[in-house]
Amino acid sequence: MLGRLSWDSTIGEFATTVSDLAQRIAEILAENLGLKSTFFAENCLAGTCYLRMNRYPQCPISSEVFGLMPHTDSDFLTILHQDQVGGLQLVKDGRWITVKPNPKALIINIGDLFQAWSNGAYKSVEHRVTTNQQVERFSIAYFLCPSYDTLIQSCSEAPVYRKFSFREYRQQVQEDVHETTGYKVGLPRFLR
Ligand SMILES: O=C(O)CCC(=O)C(=O)O
Ligand SMILES: [Fe+2]
């Protein structure tokens, strides 16, 4: 059991470490495509990125209940740490595969914004979490996000998506989930 101060500093240290890592990975991914790698340092500041701590209680009807519904993340990239329980699955070649739990490893997921910004060179990965009958599961995710005013625009001469601000993207997702379709449509809404 950690005391309050110790908890704060542990989380603070984790946040600083993964935030530096996320910036570095984003830079490398941009450099690989010959794109402007300073974009993330300029637009994804500490105040716009966030950590989410997930707790999935054990579930007696686990075959019928998702811990987290299938989704893609609405960010540039996500750094995820999961415990030893397992349950994270992602779509690879059209099939759901289980990510082997390894508490000593970090999982890096590409999000919707990187897909748009890279004009589809990097793909936002669809993922979900199943529940476990016997044990609860914990994970912690860091989301690399820009400020709401940041424009997401591909440098390609034939952009697949139209230019949009992160605010517009978030609003569209909220509108779809809560009013229009009942689920997140995501990037297909922004096709040119
Ligand atoms: O708990 C996990 O492994 C995944 C969490 C996740 O996908 C999310 O928080 O967006
Ligand atoms: Fe996610």
Side-chain angles (χ1 to χ4, degrees):
M1 199 66 161
L2 287 177
R4 173 69 206 266
L5 278 177
S6 173
W7 166 258
D8 283 356
S9 70
T10 305
I11 289 295
E13 222 173 281
F14 180 80
T16 309
T17 306
V18 285
S19 133
D20 291 349
L21 181 63
Q23 284 284 348
R24 189 72 199 106
I25 292 170
E27 269 173 32
I28 292 169
L29 292 176
E31 278 161 16
N32 282 348
L33 297 175
L35 297 175
K36 192 176 167 236
S37 62
T38 53
F39 178 86
F40 305 96
E42 286 162 14
N43 295 291
C44 304
L45 304 178
T48 61
C49 302
Y50 60 97
L51 277 179
R52 182 194 286 156
M53 283 174 259
N54 298 304
R55 171 178 173 252
Y56 305 91
Q58 61 228 74
C59 176
I61 48 165
S62 60
S63 60
E64 293 164 47
V65 179
F66 281 123
L68 206 53
M69 294 288 283
H71 67 283
T72 55
D73 294 341
S74 302
D75 61 352
F76 276 106
L77 60 83
T78 308
I79 298 185
L80 183 73
H81 179 266
Q82 60 169 332
D83 65 14
Q84 73 295 340
V85 174
L88 175 64
Q89 299 183 327
L90 54 84
V91 175
K92 186 160 185 272
D93 303 326
R95 292 178 46 198
W96 285 104
I97 58 160
T98 298
V99 179
K100 197 169 152 200
N102 179 357
K104 291 194 176 152
L106 293 171
I107 295 155
I108 318 293
N109 281 342
I110 298 290
D112 300 340
L113 302 186
F114 226 131
Q115 178 166 331
W117 194 74
S118 69
N119 208 32
Y122 296 122
K123 298 274 188 288
S124 182
V125 65
E126 190 176 5
H127 54 287
R128 67 185 184 188
V129 179
T130 58
T131 46
N132 187 293
Q133 275 190 349
Q134 274 87 39
V135 267
E136 64 181 354
R137 171 178 183 269
F138 293 92
S139 73
I140 181 163
Y142 177 84
F143 297 87
L144 183 70
C145 294
S147 65
Y148 281 140
D149 290 325
T150 302
L151 286 175
I152 313 299
Q153 182 177 20
S154 143
C155 296
S156 162
E157 281 172 14
V160 175
Y161 305 101
R162 70 169 175 81
K163 176 169 71 178
F164 57 86
S165 69
F166 185 43
R167 173 177 286 105
E168 202 185 337
Y169 194 72
R170 292 295 298 247
Q171 278 171 354
Q172 185 64 58
V173 170
Q174 291 301 311
E175 199 180 304
D176 283 339
V177 171
H178 298 294
E179 292 160 37
T180 322
T181 53
Y183 59 89
K184 173 181 165 182
V185 178
L187 282 180
R189 278 256 185 261
F190 295 84
L191 286 166
R192 277 165 72 93

